[in-house]
Amino acid sequence: MTKEKTTTETEALETEVIEPAEEGTVLPPAAEPPEGEYTSKQIRVLKGLEGVRIRPAMYIGSTGPSGLHHLVYEIVDNAIDEAVAGYCNQIKVTLLRDGGVRVEDNGRGIPVDPMESEGGKSALEVIMTTLHAGGKFGGGAYKVSGGLHGVGASVVNALSRRFEVDVHRDGKVWRLVCERGEVVEPVHEVGKTRRHGTVVTFWPDPEIFETTEFKFSELENHLREQAFLVAGLKIVLEDERDGEKAVFHYRGGIKEFVRHLNRNHNPLTKPLHLKKEFELPAGENGERVRHYRVEIAIQYVDDYRELILGFANNIHTKDGGTHLEGFKAGLTRVINKYAQDHVLLKSGSPSLTGDDIREGCTAIVAVWLEEPQFEGQTKGALGNSEVKGLVQNTLTEQLTEWLEHHPGEARKIVTKAEAAARARLAARKAREIERKKSSLDRTLPGKLADCSSKDRDRCELFIVEGVSAAGTAKAGRDRNFQAILPIRGKIINVEKAGLSRVLNNSEIQALITAIGTNIDANQDLDARRYDKIIILTDADVDGAHIRTLLLTFFFRHMDKLVEAGKVYIAKNPLFRIRKGRDQRFYVFTEKERDEKVRELGGKVEVTRFKGLGEMDAEDLWLTTMNPETRTLIRVKVEDKLECEETFEKLMGSEVEPRRKFIQDYAREVENLDI
Ligand code: 1YM
């Protein structure tokens, strides 16, 4: 979820994936030579790696922290490929004291023999100095590295101030050393070994990256996820800078992944794990075959959360795709059929919809395929249409059998879905009754200063921290379409409190009635009373805390509102600068303040807004409420898994992960005026 920092735009840019250019970008010749007379002199070929250094963001998304960590994943992906192919069971990632990173595996070792087609150069050198070399070798396997990011180790080489590879293979150690993509020590033998495997060590280039400091917690999440996806693979992450260490090793694979995701929920069933492999004919006459592997893990919990995550070749497909379509269709059909065949539904019961059946369901749907197609703007969805049927087939065959062998669990799942169906009908009925009542009848919270417009799509609700600030907001607003709901102090932390305590909390009750959509399984987006829900808190640490508490509540209980993009954060300025009688300027940072003061020159009056309460109604209207001049940050969930983990860390009951997270990110936070 985009939160706190005002980096909505930059984050979106960071995750934007632009297809890398093919090997060696060809620049057009200066003057058009006669046809058929191109020579190597006239066409200047920009050698691959130079292009990477000129346009790094094209290859790794950004030169910010996300691009920096991407370098590690790029190298780890090659080791993961070796593990998925069955040749490697250990990967170690070490953050070195001098700012470098070392990635080691115990696989076969990258081939080092000379390649005739490349003028006798060592395969290792070709792989590390040629764009996209990875794709041309090997093949036939399920490649992580060929997938979404898949730009290859050579890109990491190009963007590193120094890049070293040691290959342990056939009793010998071979070494290649490069600097900024240029070979400084060609592949040569440096010793004997009993091991086999590859060790890559690199130091990111400070000329390229905004920061070269790696974050343990960022790497930790990614590596844990990878370890879950390759059962039995042990991944060790060690930080030599502070001695921190984490080991990820899950013999149960994705079955342990669902258990991990449910660790703070009450399980209703044991996790189940389904696996099936397929071969489909490919090519014009079906002369070749393509291999597919499907793995699914499912566990139900006793609340309403639905968390279904898809992976293709170990890549998290955060926008879903055909594997998830197959899962949803298959699950709905299998559970309904089981319920019918075993006469589990009470007569007159409504039939179970997909939504009913997925209530409380946690699932991982992971597929591996030789030619994955990633679609959508950020390439976050799996596009291969054949996969839908394969996933559905796996469920029809194996889930049906599992249910037959686990009648107790099967009954629990059906009963839960039935309860969800009943709740859905009851909620609909209640809404109908509600709609029939006149709007005056509805008991809106007393402290809500509602707006007068009946045009819901224009209406906005400001949730304002503090009664006095709410007073100012009331005076400053356009009462026609802007409503104000004051929130007093810290609202309850829904991550720690049980649902009944949450619902008994008067601030939460006011929030729920004011917004009108209801919560959890009973959410009805159409019943919302406003089109924008805007959180307005002080620009200080307490304000940030209250904002996070509110976001936690929305993410956990009003997720439909968040997913529909109806929740916003108002960005309020930190300083007002006045010059003379009628010039007012507002700025958001100390740097902007200094610049403005310098620009205006002469005598100016600078006010620091410690809280919203210090603004007058005009300040608030101009800077924060007037749609023409304000800045709103829309809250988006880009990656549900990451969001789950972050809220858990920030708001859950375990202290240690939170301490580490805060330590890692503290430097990025602005306005930490404690
Ligand atoms: C720390 C990073 O890159 N390990 C690695 C890479 C390769 C192999 C083994 C490998 C693959 C194959 C055959 C094959 C790579 N090989 C290639 C290429 N760890 C790391 N471990 N033998 C060894 O795929 O057939 C690219 S990466 F191009 F040679 F196939």
Side-chain angles (χ1 to χ4, degrees):
M1 183 173 307
T2 319
K3 54 179 175 28
E4 279 205 33
K5 298 170 292 162
T6 54
T7 48
T8 348
E9 298 86 349
T10 47
E11 272 178 7
L13 287 178
E14 273 190 9
T15 51
E16 198 167 297
V17 176
I18 302 162
E19 282 294 288
E22 280 307 313
E23 180 184 348
T25 309
V26 180
L27 296 181
E32 200 82 3
E35 219 176 315
E37 287 189 28
Y38 281 88
T39 69
S40 58
K41 273 186 200 133
Q42 284 157 325
I43 301 176
R44 196 182 135 228
V45 177
L46 193 59
K47 219 179 133 238
L49 296 193
E50 269 177 64
V52 177
R53 289 184 62 83
I54 293 168
R55 294 240 172 82
M58 262 185 68
Y59 297 86
I60 52 164
S62 83
T63 53
S66 134
L68 178 79
H69 290 86
H70 196 121
L71 300 182
V72 183
Y73 304 148
E74 215 46 74
I75 301 296
V76 168
D77 280 353
N78 289 331
I80 300 270
D81 278 342
E82 189 67 353
V84 171
Y87 296 104
C88 146
N89 63 6
Q90 277 198 47
I91 298 174
K92 183 166 184 200
V93 178
T94 313
L95 299 176
L96 305 175
R97 236 170 259 146
D98 64 4
V101 190
R102 175 167 300 138
V103 184
E104 302 167 61
D105 70 43
N106 64 347
R108 288 168 292 179
I110 299 177
V112 290
D113 35 295
M115 292 177 72
E116 255 172 55
S117 63
E118 305 288 329
K121 264 192 216 162
S122 159
L124 174 60
E125 181 179 326
V126 176
I127 289 164
M128 294 306 172
T129 56
T130 322
L131 267 185
H132 271 161
K136 288 197 217 141
F137 299 84
Y142 309 125
K143 291 270 187 212
V144 184
S145 49
L148 175 55
H149 300 304
V151 288
S154 60
V155 166
V156 182
N157 181 13
L159 302 177
S160 295
R161 135 177 101 71
R162 189 176 168 87
F163 184 91
E164 302 174 355
V165 192
D166 279 358
V167 170
H168 295 246
R169 201 178 154 109
D170 302 327
K172 290 179 181 156
V173 188
W174 303 87
R175 178 168 298 164
L176 168 73
V177 182
C178 301
E179 286 177 5
R180 304 198 155 96
E182 304 273 354
V183 175
V184 294
E185 286 179 37
V187 177
H188 58 293
E189 195 187 321
V190 290
K192 304 267 177 277
T193 182
R194 287 165 177 277
R195 284 172 49 185
H196 50 90
T198 306
V199 185
V200 172
T201 313
F202 65 94
W203 290 262
D205 192 347
E207 286 174 12
I208 303 275
F209 292 95
E210 290 155 28
T211 163
T212 55
E213 194 185 332
F214 290 102
K215 287 205 168 81
F216 189 91
S217 41
E218 161 74 42
L219 296 168
E220 188 183 16
N221 282 339
H222 181 89
L223 296 176
R224 183 192 298 113
E225 193 176 294
Q226 293 298 317
F228 278 129
L229 289 162
V230 188
L233 170 65
K234 182 172 172 182
I235 304 185
V236 179
L237 171 62
E238 194 166 348
D239 193 340
E240 286 190 344
R241 301 168 304 181
D242 65 358
E244 183 97 14
K245 187 175 171 178
V247 179
F248 308 112
H249 188 199
Y250 307 104
R251 289 199 175 77
I254 59 169
K255 190 166 160 173
E256 290 193 49
F257 200 167
V258 289
R259 231 186 245 130
H260 168 81
L261 293 170
N262 290 342
R263 66 197 179 285
N264 295 310
H265 294 248
N266 298 320
L268 199 66
T269 61
K270 283 190 289 212
L272 65 98
H273 195 162
L274 315 175
K275 298 177 199 177
K276 195 169 174 188
E277 298 199 31
F278 299 87
E279 274 183 10
L280 293 187
E284 285 287 294
N285 311 308
E287 71 280 12
R288 291 185 296 122
V289 288
R290 277 196 210 127
H291 299 85
Y292 296 82
R293 185 150 69 84
V294 175
E295 277 198 39
I296 301 167
I298 306 173
Q299 183 179 35
Y300 275 82
V301 294
D302 76 354
D303 54 58
Y304 93 102
R305 183 186 69 168
E306 170 188 329
L307 184 60
I308 297 165
L309 304 174
F311 293 86
N313 290 13
N314 281 41
I315 295 157
H316 181 194
T317 43
K318 56 187 170 45
D319 302 324
T322 50
H323 50 340
L324 292 195
E325 284 169 27
F327 175 80
K328 289 180 181 174
L331 186 74
T332 308
R333 201 176 297 167
V334 171
I335 300 287
N336 263 311
K337 179 148 192 324
Y338 182 88
Q340 271 159 16
D341 291 355
H342 294 75
V343 214
L344 289 180
L345 296 180
K346 294 187 191 73
S347 62
S349 278
S351 67
L352 304 171
T353 66
D355 281 330
D356 297 334
I357 291 171
R358 290 193 301 276
E359 196 177 304
C361 177
T362 307
I364 302 289
V365 183
V367 297
W368 287 266
L369 60 166
E370 286 156 24
E371 288 167 45
Q373 289 154 14
F374 294 97
E375 294 180 343
Q377 213 175 16
T378 56
K379 303 268 177 225
L382 182 68
N384 302 60
S385 55
E386 71 279 17
V387 171
K388 182 175 176 187
L390 303 182
V391 174
Q392 216 171 336
N393 172 291
T394 307
L395 284 169
T396 309
E397 191 185 290
Q398 298 191 6
L399 180 60
T400 306
E401 190 184 327
W402 186 90
L403 293 169
E404 294 298 346
H405 286 99
H406 299 80
E409 319 255 318
R411 186 179 286 271
K412 281 186 198 161
I413 295 173
V414 174
T415 310
K416 167 129 180 93
E418 235 187 329
R422 267 201 310 276
R424 172 169 53 84
L425 290 181
R428 185 192 293 167
K429 216 173 263 171
R431 271 199 308 276
E432 275 159 14
I433 295 169
E434 189 81 359
R435 276 202 196 111
K436 280 182 201 142
K437 283 195 211 163
S438 89
S439 62
L440 284 176
D441 248 341
R442 209 181 290 138
T443 41
L444 286 167
K447 54 187 183 170
L448 172 75
D450 212 355
C451 52
S452 52
S453 170
K454 291 280 165 285
D455 178 3
R456 194 264 314 272
D457 291 340
R458 264 190 80 213
C459 292
E460 304 177 340
L461 174 68
F462 283 83
I463 303 169
V464 184
E465 167 189 0
V467 177
S468 86
T472 317
K474 257 184 242 175
R477 68 175 169 155
D478 181 335
R479 62 173 58 245
N480 203 1
F481 69 99
Q482 295 181 318
I484 310 289
L485 180 69
I487 288 282
R488 217 173 319 182
K490 302 278 167 80
I491 66 157
I492 190 167
N493 181 355
V494 303
E495 197 73 11
K496 285 187 192 158
L499 186 62
S500 62
R501 263 188 65 209
V502 170
L503 294 182
N504 277 331
N505 181 279
S506 65
E507 304 292 303
I508 298 277
Q509 279 171 1
L511 212 56
I512 296 171
T513 17
I515 293 173
T517 56
N518 213 331
I519 56 163
D520 296 349
N522 295 329
Q523 286 175 86
D524 176 9
L525 194 60
D526 270 348
R528 70 182 188 280
R529 302 184 56 254
Y530 309 93
D531 199 54
K532 290 192 174 72
I533 310 295
I534 304 167
I535 300 174
L536 178 52
T537 58
D538 288 346
D540 62 6
V541 179
D542 279 342
H545 188 202
I546 293 169
R547 186 163 64 223
T548 314
L549 288 164
L550 284 166
L551 286 174
T552 311
F553 171 72
F554 286 128
F555 180 66
R556 290 293 181 211
H557 299 288
M558 290 192 166
D559 47 328
K560 294 243 163 82
L561 210 57
V562 180
E563 267 159 36
K566 304 293 182 195
V567 178
Y568 297 80
I569 294 167
K571 196 177 166 202
N572 39 331
L574 207 53
F575 300 99
R576 177 183 58 210
I577 303 164
R578 260 202 291 230
K579 179 156 191 189
R581 264 179 167 269
D582 35 43
Q583 282 195 71
R584 277 186 186 210
F585 301 93
Y586 301 92
V587 294
F588 295 90
T589 63
E590 286 173 8
K591 191 165 161 252
E592 284 171 13
R593 172 200 60 191
D594 297 344
E595 280 168 10
K596 195 76 205 173
V597 169
R598 215 173 306 130
E599 180 194 318
L600 290 172
K603 193 165 176 280
V604 294
E605 178 206 289
V606 178
T607 312
R608 184 190 176 102
F609 297 126
K610 286 253 168 55
L612 293 166
E614 292 178 28
M615 292 185 171
D616 62 28
E618 194 185 345
D619 290 328
L620 204 57
W621 167 253
L622 283 173
T623 61
T624 322
M625 303 185 78
N626 180 355
E628 310 269 308
T629 49
R630 71 188 177 191
T631 308
L632 291 184
I633 301 168
R634 176 180 262 159
V635 177
K636 290 191 294 191
V637 174
E638 279 185 352
D639 183 328
K640 205 160 178 192
L641 174 59
E642 208 180 308
C643 229
E644 283 279 333
E645 300 278 351
T646 307
F647 274 113
E648 178 82 48
K649 255 189 214 144
L650 282 178
M651 311 305 283
S653 29
E654 276 189 54
V655 178
E656 193 47 31
R658 175 160 51 247
R659 186 192 63 79
K660 184 73 187 152
F661 184 91
I662 292 170
Q663 227 173 35
D664 273 2
Y665 287 90
R667 238 169 292 162
E668 281 174 25
V669 181
E670 301 160 39
N671 308 333
L672 196 71
D673 54 352
I674 345 173

